[in-house]
Every structure is written in structure tokens, then in C-alpha cells.
Amino acid sequence: MAEIIEVPDEEEIEDITFSDMESVPATSQTVVLQEDVEQLSEVVVVGYGTQERKSLTGAVTSIQKAEIASLPSQSIEQVLQGRVAGVQIAQNSSTPGASANISIRGSSSIANGEPLYVIDGFPVHTGGGRTQSALGLVSPDDIRSISVLKSAEATAIYGARASNGVILINTKSGRYYSAGFTTSYPDNYASLYIAPRKFSPVREFYSPEYSEKEAVEKRTDFRETIYWNPLVQTSRKGEARVSFYNSDATTAFRVTAEGVAANGYVGRQEWVYSTTLPLSVEAKIPAYLSFEDRTSIPIQLTNNTDRVIRGELQVTAPSALKPLTPWDPRVDVAPNTTATYYYDALVQNEAGSFELQINFENEEFRDRVVQTIEVLPKGFPVEVSFSGQELEKAFSFQIKDPVPGSLSAGFTAYPNVVGDLLAGIAGMLRQPHGCFEQVSSSTYPNVLALQFMRETNGADPAVEKKALAYIRDGYKRLAAYETAQGGFEWYGDTPPHEGLTAFGLLELTEMKKVWEGVSTPLLSRTKQFLLDRRMGDGNFKQDRGKYGFSGASREVTNAYIVYALSACGVDKPIQKEYELAYQEALKSGDAYRLALMANAAYLLKKEDGAKIMMQRLRKQLKEEGLGKLKADHSLVRSYGNSLQIETASLIALAMMKEAQPQLMQLQEAINYLVGSRSHGYFGSTQGTILALTALTEFAKFSRKSQDDGLIALYLNGNALATTRYEREQREEILLASLENKMAVGNQSFRVVFDDTREALPYSFNARWTSYTPASSKACLVDLNTKLSAAEVKQHETIRLTTTLTNTSASGIPQTVAIVGIPSGLSVQPWQLREYQEKGLFDFYEVQGNFVILYYREMAPKDKRVISLDLRAEIPGTYQASASSAYLYYTNEHKDWEAGETVKVLK
């Protein structure tokens, strides 16, 4: 039973107040406060403006001017040292005279370790590479107070930049304030930069609803944060009463209350309590297992009574787990002890998700634990995919060296485009989502699908709810990548990237059309950031990197920014930039840039210019054909198939803006895009999003009724299935379990549509794992993994060394390494954070049984060696899923490495 408890008031805390951060006003006033401990509703400085005391939130430690003045050395660092819990001061011994390094919360994988400084209401930073902190730029004699915000909800005021805490400095004179954003400061402020104002949503945690009398038959709720309330109002005695339900875990919980009293002092109280059952069942069950793994699942029975408990311990295992030893359910547990039993099983070749139940029961006590285990095929993943919209089409492929039980295949036809969109999204959600663009790969398509459903009155409430949930989650992630200087960067670091910011502006603008939760100030800031990058000669100032997306040419980035701003309603401010990008595109003959500027010309109502661009594009279409257009590179530096898809999508979008569209050519472009999808993707992320945008616009553009028809599917000349569909049918037509019809060797399929004038868009997908790696010779990176030993004892560590090498003589962009971890082992997050700080990789994620490492760019012949110390958790013999490495924008070329095998001893 998830029991309800009430937290007692152990000690009086002076008028603690929490606040909903959405109420923080985005103002820029400067207020100098006099001491007043009588009024609860007094105004205080918070964030970038003002707020009533009763609405202030966060763990705040304040140090007043008297404490600062009392120090003989006048050292601000000494004021903070020892007076603020959690603040660490490290002297910089390598640079004489340099300020100390201040750390409030340790490190983050997204932001650097420096806290955010806010002086007289303005956020500041000292610029990259400086050794002097912002404290060293303010005279101690002019400081009225210093406040330190440590708690996580500080990010709700200041955004992702506050992930390392905030130091608020209030001066006596307030003389550092100036209206608006300016670069004119006193001498000791010459190097400070005023960061843009931004806000993030308040944190939320899932909390299930229980009935007070509800009996819990099985324990499934194992949340780590069981109660979170940013708005608790106390009485004047500092008392408040809250209630909540525990999770199902039998463990210790820590309650933390933090707030600010009417007199400006902070209060903080911690209280630890634990939950127990008279007889409880605990089991350490691996979330992932691979074919042929042998696992020994430890099951612990804890008797918290003063007498022996006898009963039956039953394990209900799925067919994917075959018991290796007989299981005797009869158990005796001595008083006040814990007994451990091991369930030994062999993983069968059955891929999928399965439920494992462990149940203890006697006449007096009962407890049950349930957990889902995902069984993954061993070997190297292989996928084949074919898409099209022809009345008849044949395709073939070969199945080589498959792992038994790993093959799955299905054919799907889509009576409406939105079904096709959502099918593509499902494939994208399986991909890593560590950077801004990867988050966009699953968020942007949901925006497009929701737009289409609403405009065609085809919204399914369940599908719309799911899409909105993805959009809300994606928006929270995307907003966190806004940098301290404005604009966006892949991981939220500075400097921001203009091309990525233009892409983000397009995405957020479209998102705003379907979900009002998108911040209007965020959109305005992003748009203004790009406008502020104008240099006056038609160019945009660009912080370009060496390789890939960050290294796209000046001309391509200029053209894309003009296209993005014009699509977001900007007109007159970019006339000079439009003219330059237009002339450069016309001179180059580059189809990608011609297509960008054709769209921009239509959006800016420059019909004559648009017609000239379309004439040049149609000439290429006639001479070269779709898929062979002359283009050097796109905004993301894509090439090959991805570049052709991006270009064709932009051409199709421009065609639909013409006053009299040439429908035959438009249909050819749409057919090319439909047939270019593979595994739910259209080349790179940019290709996928642009293709989905074009297909969605075409569906709204055409709005034609579908005929009735018949689909016939053949394999190796034999009929597999025949299905009739009707004009009004909205659900997708699915032919599943085709793997039962296929054998090792060549597979020749043929799709035929009959009794109709036009075929439906369709896709065929087959997946299996092979004992033979399908590494591509065109992959520019080499991956190697190696465990330090074949065996390790439970609770000890073993080292996994991963080596990633750029095999080319050129720099490469946006490299991803996905490293498989054996199921019985676990990574140590502290070590990953340490390696990220040392620059062994730029960002990391832990997803399931994989560690994913990201690199913005790798230099020619660059080699990175990462040694992870893995902790042995569960006895057994395990093989990790195969590891892979690839360039994000050319993910069709991968280097594969077999998963490491380890035996964990009891």
C-alpha cells in the first residue's frame, strides 16, 4: 500500500515561502531595499526584476554588508567560504592574483561549472578563458549584500545558465544599472557582458493518485522524488502541514524544506524517515537482457518482525527466461534478518518486453514486485526499408547470417498523410536525443502532424494528446539550449550558432501555431538575436566552426537565415541581406541555395525574383533530374542522398507557392520524397524535417479524395496477402508478421494496387540481427571496445576501454559513439561527468544499456580513449549489445563493434 504520511514540524522555520516560478515578471527595474522585518508582502529583488516577498522561491543564503565590512582582507571569497553550505572555493594557484574558482553545485554535462552572477538585477559573465570571476570586478566597499541561490528551482528564474547556481550581488549605489542593454560601463566593468533575459518552466514531477483505502496488490511505483511543492505558505510561526503518498519502495527518504522569512533570512530543515513492511520482497532485476545471457537475479526477503516467517516465494517468469535450476518456493526467514535467494535463468531467443513477477505469500503477509524486462537480440542490427507510391513496384534484398528469432517484418499503407508522418516519428523516437537538433528530430514532426490533423479536421483525440505530450517535452529540452548570449547551440554552450538558431526559430514558430505554451519572449529574443547579427553589408556575423554544420559556408548560412526570417514574418529589416543572398545564389547555380531563395522571394512578395529562381531550378530538373541536382552542401553540411532530399523538399515547397503550380512536376517531386524514406527517415534530420514539411503542405495543398482500391503483396512470385480498402478509411493498413513467410537468402517482393487510379503511400520494413557486422567502408570513424577481464566479482568494478578514431585526414563533424554495456554492469555517472569536464567528449547520455558519447568535431586522425569503470551488480554471464560509431549527418555509414562479454561471480 502506498501509505499517506504527514510531515511533522520538527523545528520552527521562520515564515518559509515557496513560489510558482511562472509568476515571475520579466522586468528590469533596480530596487534598493531598506531593512524591514515587519511586512510579509514587501518587495524583493528576484530574477531580473522585482517580486513580492511572499512569492519568492529558492534556497537562498544572504550575507549582509556588516559581515563583508568586518573582514580585514575585504575578500568576498572569504565571506562565502564556510558561510554557505554547498559552496566550494578553490584558489587558482597557477595564476598569481587571479580570483578563486567558485562552485555551487558541482558540474553539469550541458553547462560549464561557473555559477551565474547577477549584479544589480543584470546577469553578467566574464567571457571565455578569463581567470577573474565577476566578484573580482566589483569593489567590496560598494556591496550591500550577496545572496546565493543553490536549489534546482533557480533555473526556473534564470534558465539553463543557472544550473550551477546563482550569486546575486546588490550594490549600495546601484550605479551599475543602465536602461536596456549597453556596453558602456565603469572601468572595472569593461569586460562584463549583459546576458539576455530568459525564463524556463517550473520543474514538475509525476505523482500518481491513490485512494486512501486502496490496497496495492503489487509494488510498481518506485519514483525517486515522491513530493515536490514550490508553493508552500506557512503561518507567522513558520508552520505548515503537507501530505503526500510514499512510493512503493522500502527505503529511506529525505525531506528538505527551504524558504525565506519576512526578515530576509533563509530557513532550511531536513528530516529523514524510512518506510518498511513487516515482510518485504526486493529484487535487483536487470532492465535489459540479450539472447543467451545467463542471469542470477538476487531476491531478498526482509523480516522486520521478532519471529520466524514461513511462506511461499513464487517467481512468475516469461517464456523468454528459461529456469536453469529447480525452484523451491518454500522459505523460512529468521527474525529481523534478510535472506537472499537467486533465480537462475537462461535468456531465450525471444525479442520483446516481458513482465517478471516475484511474490511472497502466507496466511498473514503478502508482498509482490513486478518489473518489465526488455530482451534484445544479440549480434549486429540490420534494417532494410522500401517506400513508394506507385501502382506497381518490385524490390528485393538478402537475409544473411541472421540470429534465430531476431527477424521481424511488416508492410504498411497509409490512406492519409498524417499516418505516414506518425509512422516516421515512431522510428525517430528510438534515436538518441542529446543535442538541440536530435531533440528536434522527434519534436518537429509531431508539430507538423498536429498542424495537418487540425487543418484537415482529422484530429484523433488520442493521437493529438500523444503529439502534444511529445511537443511539451521537446519544448522544455529545446528551451534549455538557449545560450547565455542569446540564440541556440547544440548543447547550450557559448558561442551560439547562427545557422542552428535560424533552424530553431523556424521550429518554435511552427510549434507556437499548435501549442500556446511556447514563450513569446523567447521567440522575440531569438528573432532579435539573428537581426542583431547583421553586419550592414548584407552578411550576417557568423561564429563558424571548422567542420560540418558549424562549418557551413558563409553564403549557405546567409541564405538559410534569410529564408528562416522571411518564413517568420520578417520583411523590411532584411532587404539588404536578401539582395546579397539572392545574387550569390543566382551566380553560383547551386540548387540548394536557389531553392532557399525561391522560397524567401515568394515569402517576401518578390514575384519576379522568385520566377527567375524557379526557371533556373526547372532547367536543372530537366537536365539532371531529381536526385542529381547540382548542390555543394546544405546548412548542415550534408551531401549525397540527404542533400538531394533537402533540395527537392525546398523545391516542392517553392512550387506550392507559385500562382499557377505545375502539378505534374510537383507530383514528381512528392513521389521522389515518398520513395526516399528509409527506416522512418529522409536522410539526415534536416532532410527528414524538410521532407515532412513538404509532404504535409502537399496534403493540405491537394486535399483530394482517395479512391477505393485493392492491395496485393507477393513474395518470390507467391501471393502473401490481398487487402481491400475504402475511400473513407483513415486507419493505416498493416500487414504484419511477414517474417514467418521468409527464409534465409534472397527476398523478392512485389506490390500491386488494383481497382484504383492512384496508389497509396506505403512502406516495407524488415529488421534482424546478424552474426556478421555490417560495417560500412565509407564510415570515417573506427570504434574499438575492450573489457579489462573476462570475470568480475559482484559489487566490484571492471574497466571498459573505448577507443574512437577519426580515420580520415580531414576534420569530421558531429560524431556519435553508442557503446553497449553488459546487462549485469552499471556505469558510474560521476566518472562520465569528470570525463566530460576533461574534454574526452562534449556531451553524454545513458539510455538503457548504452552510453552515448557526442563530439562536436574531431580533428584529422584524432583519437579519443575513454575508460569506464563499470560496477558489477547482478551475477550471471552477459553480452552487451553491439556498439557503433558514425557521423550524425551520414548515419547510413556506421562502424560496428561486437558487444563485450563478462561473467559476474556471486
Side-chain angles (χ1 to χ4, degrees), residues 336-355:
N336 297 308
T337 60
T338 296
T340 301
Y341 305 88
Y342 290 90
Y343 182 79
D344 301 324
L346 173 66
V347 181
Q348 304 298 290
N349 287 10
E350 296 182 43
S353 295
F354 304 93
E355 192 175 82

PDB file of all heavy atoms in Angstrom, residues 336-355:
ATOM      1  N   ASN A 336      14.122 -10.442  12.160  1.00  0.00           N
ATOM      2  CA  ASN A 336      14.975  -9.263  11.976  1.00  0.00           C
ATOM      3  C   ASN A 336      16.208  -9.552  11.112  1.00  0.00           C
ATOM      4  O   ASN A 336      17.320  -9.116  11.410  1.00  0.00           O
ATOM      5  CB  ASN A 336      15.405  -8.703  13.333  1.00  0.00           C
ATOM      6  CG  ASN A 336      14.231  -8.213  14.146  1.00  0.00           C
ATOM      7  OD1 ASN A 336      13.423  -7.418  13.667  1.00  0.00           O
ATOM      8  ND2 ASN A 336      14.121  -8.719  15.372  1.00  0.00           N
ATOM      9  N   THR A 337      15.990 -10.327  10.072  1.00  0.00           N
ATOM     10  CA  THR A 337      17.086 -10.646   9.156  1.00  0.00           C
ATOM     11  C   THR A 337      16.611 -10.504   7.709  1.00  0.00           C
ATOM     12  O   THR A 337      15.424 -10.363   7.433  1.00  0.00           O
ATOM     13  CB  THR A 337      17.596 -12.092   9.351  1.00  0.00           C
ATOM     14  OG1 THR A 337      16.516 -13.008   9.102  1.00  0.00           O
ATOM     15  CG2 THR A 337      18.137 -12.300  10.745  1.00  0.00           C
ATOM     16  N   THR A 338      17.592 -10.569   6.810  1.00  0.00           N
ATOM     17  CA  THR A 338      17.308 -10.555   5.369  1.00  0.00           C
ATOM     18  C   THR A 338      17.919 -11.803   4.751  1.00  0.00           C
ATOM     19  O   THR A 338      19.103 -12.087   4.955  1.00  0.00           O
ATOM     20  CB  THR A 338      17.897  -9.303   4.696  1.00  0.00           C
ATOM     21  OG1 THR A 338      17.262  -8.139   5.227  1.00  0.00           O
ATOM     22  CG2 THR A 338      17.682  -9.344   3.195  1.00  0.00           C
ATOM     23  N   ALA A 339      17.111 -12.552   4.033  1.00  0.00           N
ATOM     24  CA  ALA A 339      17.572 -13.764   3.349  1.00  0.00           C
ATOM     25  C   ALA A 339      17.609 -13.500   1.846  1.00  0.00           C
ATOM     26  O   ALA A 339      16.712 -12.847   1.300  1.00  0.00           O
ATOM     27  CB  ALA A 339      16.655 -14.937   3.656  1.00  0.00           C
ATOM     28  N   THR A 340      18.657 -13.998   1.182  1.00  0.00           N
ATOM     29  CA  THR A 340      18.821 -13.776  -0.257  1.00  0.00           C
ATOM     30  C   THR A 340      18.704 -15.104  -0.999  1.00  0.00           C
ATOM     31  O   THR A 340      19.343 -16.094  -0.628  1.00  0.00           O
ATOM     32  CB  THR A 340      20.181 -13.125  -0.562  1.00  0.00           C
ATOM     33  OG1 THR A 340      20.276 -11.878   0.134  1.00  0.00           O
ATOM     34  CG2 THR A 340      20.329 -12.853  -2.047  1.00  0.00           C
ATOM     35  N   TYR A 341      17.907 -15.104  -2.067  1.00  0.00           N
ATOM     36  CA  TYR A 341      17.721 -16.271  -2.929  1.00  0.00           C
ATOM     37  C   TYR A 341      18.027 -15.837  -4.364  1.00  0.00           C
ATOM     38  O   TYR A 341      17.796 -14.677  -4.739  1.00  0.00           O
ATOM     39  CB  TYR A 341      16.301 -16.807  -2.835  1.00  0.00           C
ATOM     40  CG  TYR A 341      15.865 -17.119  -1.422  1.00  0.00           C
ATOM     41  CD1 TYR A 341      15.284 -16.126  -0.630  1.00  0.00           C
ATOM     42  CD2 TYR A 341      16.033 -18.384  -0.878  1.00  0.00           C
ATOM     43  CE1 TYR A 341      14.887 -16.397   0.675  1.00  0.00           C
ATOM     44  CE2 TYR A 341      15.641 -18.660   0.422  1.00  0.00           C
ATOM     45  CZ  TYR A 341      15.070 -17.663   1.197  1.00  0.00           C
ATOM     46  OH  TYR A 341      14.689 -17.921   2.489  1.00  0.00           O
ATOM     47  N   TYR A 342      18.538 -16.757  -5.165  1.00  0.00           N
ATOM     48  CA  TYR A 342      18.887 -16.429  -6.548  1.00  0.00           C
ATOM     49  C   TYR A 342      18.016 -17.218  -7.514  1.00  0.00           C
ATOM     50  O   TYR A 342      17.877 -18.443  -7.389  1.00  0.00           O
ATOM     51  CB  TYR A 342      20.359 -16.735  -6.829  1.00  0.00           C
ATOM     52  CG  TYR A 342      21.305 -15.792  -6.130  1.00  0.00           C
ATOM     53  CD1 TYR A 342      21.777 -16.064  -4.857  1.00  0.00           C
ATOM     54  CD2 TYR A 342      21.707 -14.611  -6.746  1.00  0.00           C
ATOM     55  CE1 TYR A 342      22.637 -15.184  -4.203  1.00  0.00           C
ATOM     56  CE2 TYR A 342      22.580 -13.730  -6.103  1.00  0.00           C
ATOM     57  CZ  TYR A 342      23.031 -14.016  -4.837  1.00  0.00           C
ATOM     58  OH  TYR A 342      23.874 -13.155  -4.199  1.00  0.00           O
ATOM     59  N   TYR A 343      17.446 -16.497  -8.466  1.00  0.00           N
ATOM     60  CA  TYR A 343      16.673 -17.146  -9.536  1.00  0.00           C
ATOM     61  C   TYR A 343      17.564 -17.191 -10.775  1.00  0.00           C
ATOM     62  O   TYR A 343      17.890 -16.171 -11.373  1.00  0.00           O
ATOM     63  CB  TYR A 343      15.394 -16.367  -9.829  1.00  0.00           C
ATOM     64  CG  TYR A 343      14.518 -17.009 -10.890  1.00  0.00           C
ATOM     65  CD1 TYR A 343      13.690 -18.085 -10.572  1.00  0.00           C
ATOM     66  CD2 TYR A 343      14.539 -16.559 -12.208  1.00  0.00           C
ATOM     67  CE1 TYR A 343      12.907 -18.683 -11.540  1.00  0.00           C
ATOM     68  CE2 TYR A 343      13.757 -17.154 -13.187  1.00  0.00           C
ATOM     69  CZ  TYR A 343      12.940 -18.217 -12.840  1.00  0.00           C
ATOM     70  OH  TYR A 343      12.155 -18.822 -13.794  1.00  0.00           O
ATOM     71  N   ASP A 344      17.999 -18.407 -11.165  1.00  0.00           N
ATOM     72  CA  ASP A 344      18.905 -18.600 -12.284  1.00  0.00           C
ATOM     73  C   ASP A 344      18.103 -18.888 -13.553  1.00  0.00           C
ATOM     74  O   ASP A 344      17.235 -19.771 -13.563  1.00  0.00           O
ATOM     75  CB  ASP A 344      19.858 -19.767 -12.021  1.00  0.00           C
ATOM     76  CG  ASP A 344      20.690 -19.541 -10.759  1.00  0.00           C
ATOM     77  OD1 ASP A 344      21.063 -18.382 -10.508  1.00  0.00           O
ATOM     78  OD2 ASP A 344      20.951 -20.517 -10.028  1.00  0.00           O
ATOM     79  N   ALA A 345      18.412 -18.138 -14.634  1.00  0.00           N
ATOM     80  CA  ALA A 345      17.647 -18.302 -15.874  1.00  0.00           C
ATOM     81  C   ALA A 345      18.536 -18.082 -17.084  1.00  0.00           C
ATOM     82  O   ALA A 345      19.528 -17.334 -17.034  1.00  0.00           O
ATOM     83  CB  ALA A 345      16.468 -17.335 -15.908  1.00  0.00           C
ATOM     84  N   LEU A 346      18.150 -18.726 -18.186  1.00  0.00           N
ATOM     85  CA  LEU A 346      18.802 -18.562 -19.482  1.00  0.00           C
ATOM     86  C   LEU A 346      17.848 -17.789 -20.386  1.00  0.00           C
ATOM     87  O   LEU A 346      16.677 -18.134 -20.512  1.00  0.00           O
ATOM     88  CB  LEU A 346      19.119 -19.924 -20.105  1.00  0.00           C
ATOM     89  CG  LEU A 346      19.653 -19.913 -21.542  1.00  0.00           C
ATOM     90  CD1 LEU A 346      21.036 -19.259 -21.594  1.00  0.00           C
ATOM     91  CD2 LEU A 346      19.715 -21.345 -22.096  1.00  0.00           C
ATOM     92  N   VAL A 347      18.364 -16.743 -21.023  1.00  0.00           N
ATOM     93  CA  VAL A 347      17.533 -15.905 -21.893  1.00  0.00           C
ATOM     94  C   VAL A 347      17.358 -16.595 -23.242  1.00  0.00           C
ATOM     95  O   VAL A 347      18.339 -16.952 -23.903  1.00  0.00           O
ATOM     96  CB  VAL A 347      18.158 -14.517 -22.070  1.00  0.00           C
ATOM     97  CG1 VAL A 347      17.271 -13.645 -22.962  1.00  0.00           C
ATOM     98  CG2 VAL A 347      18.376 -13.855 -20.713  1.00  0.00           C
ATOM     99  N   GLN A 348      16.100 -16.793 -23.634  1.00  0.00           N
ATOM    100  CA  GLN A 348      15.782 -17.432 -24.899  1.00  0.00           C
ATOM    101  C   GLN A 348      15.811 -16.414 -26.044  1.00  0.00           C
ATOM    102  O   GLN A 348      15.856 -15.204 -25.826  1.00  0.00           O
ATOM    103  CB  GLN A 348      14.400 -18.072 -24.821  1.00  0.00           C
ATOM    104  CG  GLN A 348      14.244 -19.073 -23.682  1.00  0.00           C
ATOM    105  CD  GLN A 348      15.199 -20.249 -23.825  1.00  0.00           C
ATOM    106  OE1 GLN A 348      15.050 -21.084 -24.714  1.00  0.00           O
ATOM    107  NE2 GLN A 348      16.189 -20.321 -22.951  1.00  0.00           N
ATOM    108  N   ASN A 349      15.774 -16.924 -27.260  1.00  0.00           N
ATOM    109  CA  ASN A 349      15.787 -16.053 -28.442  1.00  0.00           C
ATOM    110  C   ASN A 349      14.384 -15.542 -28.735  1.00  0.00           C
ATOM    111  O   ASN A 349      13.760 -15.868 -29.751  1.00  0.00           O
ATOM    112  CB  ASN A 349      16.352 -16.815 -29.650  1.00  0.00           C
ATOM    113  CG  ASN A 349      17.840 -17.029 -29.546  1.00  0.00           C
ATOM    114  OD1 ASN A 349      18.430 -16.782 -28.500  1.00  0.00           O
ATOM    115  ND2 ASN A 349      18.466 -17.473 -30.618  1.00  0.00           N
ATOM    116  N   GLU A 350      13.870 -14.749 -27.844  1.00  0.00           N
ATOM    117  CA  GLU A 350      12.566 -14.120 -27.996  1.00  0.00           C
ATOM    118  C   GLU A 350      12.710 -12.636 -27.686  1.00  0.00           C
ATOM    119  O   GLU A 350      12.825 -12.247 -26.523  1.00  0.00           O
ATOM    120  CB  GLU A 350      11.532 -14.736 -27.043  1.00  0.00           C
ATOM    121  CG  GLU A 350      11.219 -16.190 -27.291  1.00  0.00           C
ATOM    122  CD  GLU A 350      10.155 -16.698 -26.317  1.00  0.00           C
ATOM    123  OE1 GLU A 350       9.169 -15.958 -26.085  1.00  0.00           O
ATOM    124  OE2 GLU A 350      10.335 -17.802 -25.782  1.00  0.00           O
ATOM    125  N   ALA A 351      12.736 -11.813 -28.730  1.00  0.00           N
ATOM    126  CA  ALA A 351      12.888 -10.375 -28.516  1.00  0.00           C
ATOM    127  C   ALA A 351      11.556  -9.762 -28.102  1.00  0.00           C
ATOM    128  O   ALA A 351      10.485 -10.220 -28.501  1.00  0.00           O
ATOM    129  CB  ALA A 351      13.393  -9.709 -29.791  1.00  0.00           C
ATOM    130  N   GLY A 352      11.633  -8.719 -27.263  1.00  0.00           N
ATOM    131  CA  GLY A 352      10.428  -8.028 -26.839  1.00  0.00           C
ATOM    132  C   GLY A 352      10.483  -7.639 -25.374  1.00  0.00           C
ATOM    133  O   GLY A 352      11.500  -7.821 -24.698  1.00  0.00           O
ATOM    134  N   SER A 353       9.362  -7.104 -24.873  1.00  0.00           N
ATOM    135  CA  SER A 353       9.248  -6.709 -23.467  1.00  0.00           C
ATOM    136  C   SER A 353       8.436  -7.750 -22.717  1.00  0.00           C
ATOM    137  O   SER A 353       7.367  -8.170 -23.190  1.00  0.00           O
ATOM    138  CB  SER A 353       8.594  -5.336 -23.342  1.00  0.00           C
ATOM    139  OG  SER A 353       9.413  -4.343 -23.926  1.00  0.00           O
ATOM    140  N   PHE A 354       8.923  -8.142 -21.545  1.00  0.00           N
ATOM    141  CA  PHE A 354       8.280  -9.202 -20.768  1.00  0.00           C
ATOM    142  C   PHE A 354       8.177  -8.777 -19.303  1.00  0.00           C
ATOM    143  O   PHE A 354       8.992  -7.992 -18.814  1.00  0.00           O
ATOM    144  CB  PHE A 354       9.073 -10.509 -20.874  1.00  0.00           C
ATOM    145  CG  PHE A 354       9.282 -10.977 -22.287  1.00  0.00           C
ATOM    146  CD1 PHE A 354      10.433 -10.626 -22.989  1.00  0.00           C
ATOM    147  CD2 PHE A 354       8.324 -11.753 -22.921  1.00  0.00           C
ATOM    148  CE1 PHE A 354      10.629 -11.041 -24.279  1.00  0.00           C
ATOM    149  CE2 PHE A 354       8.517 -12.182 -24.227  1.00  0.00           C
ATOM    150  CZ  PHE A 354       9.671 -11.829 -24.909  1.00  0.00           C
ATOM    151  N   GLU A 355       7.198  -9.328 -18.619  1.00  0.00           N
ATOM    152  CA  GLU A 355       6.967  -8.977 -17.220  1.00  0.00           C
ATOM    153  C   GLU A 355       7.404 -10.122 -16.315  1.00  0.00           C
ATOM    154  O   GLU A 355       7.035 -11.270 -16.527  1.00  0.00           O
ATOM    155  CB  GLU A 355       5.485  -8.683 -16.996  1.00  0.00           C
ATOM    156  CG  GLU A 355       5.176  -8.036 -15.663  1.00  0.00           C
ATOM    157  CD  GLU A 355       3.720  -7.642 -15.525  1.00  0.00           C
ATOM    158  OE1 GLU A 355       2.896  -8.532 -15.191  1.00  0.00           O
ATOM    159  OE2 GLU A 355       3.399  -6.464 -15.742  1.00  0.00           O
TER     160      GLU A 355
END
